[in-house]
Amino acid sequence: MPVNVSLVSADAEVWTGEATLVIAKTVEGEIGLMAGHEPILAILAEGQVRITQPDGSKILASAQDGFLSMEGDVLTIVAGNAALVS
């Protein structure tokens, strides 16, 4: 079962879709999130968000100044600044 991910910046939706794994940098260190993870609210640190899609492809984004929230299998990442990295 995938996680429904929404990555948004202050002014735009950066990426939305399904993922099997999301790794993000928080002020307390890196965290990996998969389906079934306990609910969490964490403050983002400046760094990369790595998203693995169900087909195995990877999405890489930079993010800073925000938070992430996971409830059920819905992960929301809200950043003051976020952009996809090519």
Side-chain angles (χ1 to χ4, degrees), residues 8-65:
V8 298
S9 68
D11 59 354
E13 183 174 75
V14 176
W15 187 85
T16 188
E18 293 185 334
T20 55
L21 174 65
V22 178
I23 299 173
K25 188 172 181 185
T26 72
V27 294
E28 296 190 20
E30 279 195 338
I31 186 168
L33 302 155
M34 301 173 74
H37 196 284
E38 65 184 46
I40 188 168
L41 179 62
I43 299 170
L44 285 176
E46 183 175 351
Q48 293 184 334
V49 176
R50 299 185 306 271
I51 302 166
T52 303
Q53 296 180 286
D55 66 1
S57 61
K58 311 259 188 217
I59 303 290
L60 187 62
S62 62
Q64 66 184 45
D65 299 330

